[in-house]
Amino acid sequence: MTFRLRTRIAALYMAATGLLAAVVFIILYVVVHHSVYSHLDGDLEAESFEVHKGMVVLSDRFVFLNPAEWGEREHAQVEVNPTFLQVTDTAGAVLLRSSNLRHQRLAVEFRFREPAFFNTMLAASPVRQYQRPIESPTRRVLGYLSIAMPRQEADVVLSSLRVTLLVTFPLVLLVVFFTGRYIAGRSVAPVAAVTATAERITSSNLDERIPLPKNRDELYRLAVTLNQLLERLRDAVVHERQFTADASHELRTPLSAVRGTLEVLLRRPRSRRHYVEKIREAVGEVDRLSHLVEQLLTLARYERVDAIPAGESVDLGEAAASVIARMTPPAPAKRMAVRLVGLRGVRVKANPSMVQIMLENLLSNALKYSRAGSPVKVAATSADGRVICTVTDHGMGIGTEHLPHIFDRFYRADPARHSGIPGTGLGLAIVQRLAQLQGIGVSVTSTPGRGPTFTLTCPPAADLL
Ligand code: ADP
C-alpha cells in the first residue's frame, strides 16, 4: 500500500515538475533563438542600408555610385565572417555580385514584395539572407538587393542548446521522481506502522494501541483518533461480554431453582400440600424468568436502534394514569398511593409507548422499594423551556455510593437490603436507553432513608411546531 502510494505521489510530483521544466526550457529556447537571429538580422539590415546608400535609383533603372565598395575586404573574403552581396533584376538575372560569391548566386524569392529575412543555403552551407526590393520613386520594382551571412554559428549555438535541454529534461524528471519517491516514502512510513498495528488487532487483543509518530501532524492526529476508536471499541466489547455473562447468570439462577424444586419432588412421593407449595415456588421462578426475558428483549430491541421517528405530543397526565391503571401492585399487601401533581394537560415531545414503559419502570420501583401505602408522587413543572417530570417515593432510598451505577445493566443496589424484593437490575437501564433515544434527560437524587427522586427532563410538545 505504502509502496504504491509513494510511487503515485512521486509520479504526480514528477508530472508537475516536468510540466514546469518543459515550459521553462521552451521559453529559454525561444528567447535564445530570438536573440541569436535578431543579432544576425540587425547586421544584415545595417549592411543593406549602407549598400542602398551608395545607389541612385532613377525612374526605370538604378546605378551604383561606388562599385569599388563591392571589393571591400569582408565582401571579398570567404573564410571569416563574410557578407555576400548580390543585385538581380526582376527576372532574377544577376547584375552585380560581391567577389566572394565567385560564380555562385544567392537565391531570389520573388514572393516577397517587402524586405524580408529568411534562411537558405549557399552552395552546401546555411546562410541567413536579407532581401529587399529596389523600387523606383513610383514604387515599381526594378530589381532585388540580397545580402547573406553564414549562420553556422547561430545554428551551432541553437543545436547545442537543444541537445542540452533534451538531455537535461529526462534527467531532471528522473531526479525529481526518485527524490519525490524517497521523500514520500519517508512521509508515509508512519502509515505502514498504523496499518501493521491495525492488522494485528482483533477482538481478543483490543488493548493494543497504534504507536504515535514523533511529529504532531495529520498522521499523529490519525493515530490518536484511531486509538480513541479502539478505546471505545474495547469498552463496547467489554460491556457486551459483561452483559452476556450477567444475562446468562441471571437466566441460570431461576432455571436451576426450578430444576432443583422439580428434582426434589421427583425423588419420592409427597403430600398434596407439599406439591402445591413447591409448584407455586416453581411458577414464581418461571414468572421471574419470563419477566427477565421480556426485559432483555426490550433492551435488546432498543439497543439496536440509533434513532426513532420524530416524537409526538404526549399528555403526561394521561400516560401516568394509564400506567397506574394497568399496574399490578408488586405485592398484594401494598396499596397504591400514587399522587399526580400538575400533570394534567402537560404535553411533551416523545414516543407515547416509550414514555409509558419509562413511567411504568419508575413507578413499579417506587412501589417495590417502599412500604405498603407509603405515598408516591409524580409531578410536572417547567423550567428553561423544558418539562421536568419527577417521580418521588418515601421508601428505603439509595445509598450515595450506588447512585452512579443504578442505571447500569443488572446493577442492584445492596441486594441484601432488597432480599425478597424481586428485580432484575434492568428496569433503569431500559429507562435510560429510552430516554436517550427521545432526547430526554434522566437523573436521580436520593437521601438515604427518605426515598429517591427520579427526574425526567423532556422537550415540550411546543417543539413540534
Ligand atoms: P430492579 O429490577 O432491581 O428494580 P432497576 O434497574 O429498576 O432494577 O433498579 C436498579 C436498582 O436501583 C435497584 O436494584 C434498586 O437497588 C435501586 N432502585 C431503583 N429504584 C429505586 C427506588 N425507588 N428506591 C430505592 N432503590 C431503587
Side-chain angles (χ1 to χ4, degrees), residues 365-366 368-369 393 396-398 406 411-413 418 423-429 452 454:
N365 278 354
K368 259 194 319 192
Y369 299 110
D393 67 72
M396 59 183 65
I398 307 166
I406 56 166
Y411 188 84
R412 302 203 74 202
H418 310 149
T424 57
L426 288 175
L428 289 182
F454 285 89

Side-chain angles (χ1 to χ4, degrees), residues 148-422:
M149 282 182 182
R151 59 183 163 91
Q152 268 112 334
E153 255 177 58
D155 282 359
V156 166
V157 169
L158 289 176
S159 82
S160 50
L161 180 64
R162 238 177 359 247
V163 170
T164 313
L165 295 183
L166 286 176
V167 171
T168 316
F169 187 68
L171 282 181
V172 167
L173 291 191
L174 278 180
V175 169
V176 165
F177 178 77
F178 285 107
T179 320
R181 202 158 164 271
Y182 174 72
I183 294 171
R186 281 184 63 103
S187 319
V188 298
V191 175
V194 170
T195 316
T197 317
E199 272 167 1
R200 274 201 309 277
I201 294 173
T202 61
S203 62
S204 49
N205 68 340
L206 278 172
D207 284 330
E208 189 148 350
R209 291 289 170 269
I210 291 159
L212 297 180
K214 274 192 240 68
N215 300 329
R216 289 180 166 255
D217 50 16
E218 286 83 353
L219 288 173
Y220 183 90
R221 277 199 45 73
L222 174 71
V224 169
T225 314
L226 285 177
N227 281 345
Q228 286 167 349
L229 174 73
L230 286 172
E231 198 79 32
R232 288 199 296 275
L233 271 179
R234 201 224 14 222
D235 288 352
V237 169
V238 168
H239 212 229
E240 222 43 51
R241 279 188 198 141
Q242 187 60 43
F243 179 71
T244 317
D246 290 345
S248 4
H249 175 76
E250 292 295 322
L251 288 169
R252 209 180 300 129
T253 316
L255 276 177
S256 352
V258 172
R259 188 191 160 88
T261 310
L262 295 178
E263 266 175 359
V264 169
L265 290 184
L266 272 181
R267 230 171 268 155
R268 58 185 166 84
R270 314 269 173 165
S271 70
R272 183 185 154 72
R273 194 183 53 79
H274 195 88
Y275 276 123
V276 170
E277 190 189 315
K278 288 293 168 193
I279 290 172
R280 194 165 282 142
E281 257 175 48
V283 169
E285 288 300 334
V286 171
D287 279 349
R288 203 181 136 205
L289 196 62
S290 68
H291 179 59
L292 177 65
V293 170
E294 203 176 294
Q295 282 195 313
L296 278 174
L297 286 176
T298 311
L299 203 55
R301 175 149 34 101
Y302 293 115
E303 277 300 344
R304 253 182 272 128
V305 240
D306 285 332
I308 51 158
E312 297 168 28
S313 168
V314 179
D315 187 313
L316 277 184
E318 279 174 18
S322 91
V323 168
I324 295 167
R326 267 203 326 267
M327 267 171 72
T328 351
K334 286 195 178 180
R335 270 191 304 108
M336 305 271 283
V338 184
R339 218 154 43 93
L340 305 183
V341 181
L343 243 63
R344 187 170 300 157
V346 176
R347 294 191 155 271
V348 294
K349 181 186 164 198
N351 176 298
S353 54
M354 288 189 181
V355 167
Q356 292 205 8
I357 298 176
M358 290 165 74
L359 286 176
E360 191 175 330
N361 278 304
L362 292 178
L363 278 173
S364 72
N365 278 354
L367 294 169
K368 259 194 319 192
Y369 299 110
S370 51
R371 281 182 311 281
S374 119
V376 175
K377 187 171 87 174
V378 185
T381 51
S382 66
D384 298 332
R386 313 267 289 173
V387 176
I388 315 289
C389 173
T390 53
V391 178
T392 312
D393 67 72
H394 295 86
M396 59 183 65
I398 307 166
T400 340
E401 71 280 18
H402 299 297
L403 284 179
H405 309 292
I406 56 166
F407 290 99
D408 293 350
R409 296 180 288 192
F410 295 111
Y411 188 84
R412 302 203 74 202
D414 213 348
R417 284 207 316 182
H418 310 149
S419 49
I421 302 177

Side-chain angles (χ1 to χ4, degrees), residues 444-455:
V444 59
T445 52
S446 179
T447 321
R450 291 189 49 197
T453 297
F454 285 89
T455 308

